[in-house]
Amino acid sequence: MVGLLVLAAFLTLADRWAVLYAEHRAADALKDRLKLTAAPEVEIDGFPFLPQFVDGRLGSVKVTVPDVSADRITLASVSATARDITLDGDGPTSVHGARVPELNGDVLLSFADLNRELGASQVTFTGEGRDRVLARGTLPVAGHDLRLRADVRIGRAGDQGIATTIGGMRLDVGDLATYRPGARASEGLHLTPKSVTRLARETRKVRALLGVPSVVRRMGVPDATVREALRNDDKLAALTGSRDFVHQAMRVNLLDLTLAHPEVLDRLGLDPALLDALSRLTRPVLADQLSLGFRLPEPERGELWLRDVRVEKGGIRVRLAGQGLAFGD
């Protein structure tokens, strides 16, 4: 009886040693083949292991790879479980590949990594609902730190990619003006209600602004009213004190004045270098800085696709699946 127990313990120990050795060899092979900076974690399930290995079939193998590079970002972890694996080789000691009929995986793109890698401008990403990520922080533009707000919508791009749609992009130049990239009337660089209210009390600045015909046309103020206001301080005060003046002044896209009337912008306290930089910070340029998209690699054999994409508290979770995969020679 004691002899049987000792034999059973020895066989169990040998089996566990064999599975550890196999996991180590598999991790090294994956590291070399996938060009990883560190060996992944490999877990071979099932007991006993040796009969499976001799038979050339493994019930389940889980692989976890940390810090995988994906375009501009790093995936915090990639884990995949393969089932019913068939080993290719002439025997247990000469395995040179494997066939995987079924694979299920999980990818995490953590906000902590995004904030570190894309947050050089002090922008942070946080989850908001199932498919929405908020980008908040500051963006340096021409020596100025502008407050940034943007909403990133996360979704699938076909079966292999993650797409991001950037909306609600806004850069605040202090409390003076707000820049929204785009060509619509509501987009561009516009004075804030607070700065227009302050402007209304500064006669020199108001006269400079109303002295530009294109500004007057954009505001929608009748020419006769403007001419009277420019000649008479009481008329000017009546115009700037009206309820509509704030909304009228906010219609003006200050970028339209950049080249033609730099002196007006200077009186408003806007840096010409900042305005020049903003004119080049178009919607595609800004969206590219905030893009979180990536694509799955194409397997050499078989199919690999995305099943689900979801925003969680700690990051973006992607579930994937594969079939008919083959690895090795």
Side-chain angles (χ1 to χ4, degrees):
M1 184 66 178
V2 174
L4 289 176
L5 291 175
V6 171
L7 179 60
F10 175 77
L11 291 175
T12 300
L13 183 62
D15 190 83
R16 293 300 87 194
W17 180 87
V19 75
L20 290 174
Y21 176 76
E23 289 173 347
H24 178 73
R25 288 289 303 273
D28 286 344
L30 285 172
K31 178 186 176 184
D32 293 341
R33 189 166 188 81
L34 300 178
K35 298 180 174 57
L36 302 174
T37 56
E41 181 182 335
V42 178
E43 299 177 48
I44 301 175
D45 292 334
F47 178 82
F49 163 71
L50 285 172
Q52 299 181 70
F53 191 59
V54 171
D55 190 43
R57 294 181 181 276
L58 299 177
S60 174
V61 176
K62 181 178 180 181
V63 178
T64 302
V65 186
D67 300 330
V68 179
S69 177
D71 299 329
R72 298 167 58 234
I73 56 182
T74 297
L75 307 179
S77 69
V78 178
S79 63
T81 300
R83 293 181 174 82
D84 301 324
I85 302 158
T86 301
L87 303 177
D88 293 330
D90 300 326
T93 59
S94 60
V95 175
H96 53 71
R99 283 168 285 154
V100 180
E102 179 188 356
L103 179 142
N104 289 287
D106 184 278
V107 176
L108 175 64
L109 177 60
S110 80
F111 290 133
D113 288 341
L114 289 175
N115 294 341
R116 184 183 68 251
E117 296 174 355
L118 302 183
S121 54
Q122 299 177 353
V123 176
T124 59
F125 297 89
T126 55
E128 181 77 9
R130 190 187 189 282
D131 65 348
R132 185 179 175 208
V133 176
L134 306 182
R136 301 288 187 268
T138 58
L139 190 70
V141 180
H144 299 263
D145 287 333
L146 308 187
R147 291 194 305 274
L148 168 71
R149 295 171 58 90
D151 296 338
V152 184
R153 293 286 180 176
I154 306 295
R156 291 196 305 176
D159 287 336
Q160 306 245 251
I162 303 298
T164 55
T165 304
I166 317 295
M169 288 184 285
R170 166 178 161 180
L171 289 168
D172 292 328
V173 186
D175 63 358
L176 178 61
T178 295
Y179 174 64
R180 293 180 174 87
R184 292 182 297 185
S186 60
E187 297 167 333
L189 182 66
H190 298 267
L191 294 171
T192 65
K194 185 175 182 178
S195 66
V196 173
T197 302
R198 191 166 57 235
L199 172 69
R201 297 194 296 265
E202 301 183 48
T203 304
R204 269 185 38 185
K205 291 182 178 180
V206 173
R207 288 184 184 278
L209 200 62
L210 295 178
V212 180
S214 61
V215 169
V216 174
R217 285 194 297 271
R218 181 64 61 87
M219 291 177 65
V221 182
D223 289 342
T225 302
V226 172
R227 285 195 296 269
E228 288 182 359
L230 291 176
R231 290 195 300 263
N232 186 294
D233 287 346
D234 291 335
K235 296 289 186 180
L236 181 63
L239 173 60
T240 57
S242 67
R243 289 186 306 170
D244 294 333
F245 181 75
V246 170
H247 299 292
Q248 290 169 330
M250 287 174 60
R251 291 178 187 172
V252 180
N253 183 358
L254 300 177
L255 292 182
D256 294 342
L257 305 178
T258 303
L259 296 177
H261 303 282
E263 72 285 352
V264 175
L265 299 174
D266 183 58
R267 286 194 179 182
L268 293 177
L270 288 164
D271 179 6
L274 172 61
L275 296 173
D276 179 61
L278 287 176
S279 68
R280 289 181 277 108
L281 193 60
T282 61
R283 180 177 290 274
V285 170
L286 187 54
D288 182 65
Q289 294 188 34
L290 301 173
S291 177
L292 312 178
F294 67 91
R295 291 190 64 80
L296 293 176
E298 291 280 355
E300 294 180 7
R301 285 167 283 181
E303 296 178 279
L304 190 65
W305 68 91
L306 298 174
R307 293 172 53 196
D308 182 54
V309 181
R310 183 187 298 269
V311 176
E312 299 178 349
K313 183 178 180 180
I316 301 168
R317 180 80 59 182
V318 180
R319 304 196 187 281
L320 53 89
Q323 64 180 17
L325 300 167
F327 303 94
D329 299 331

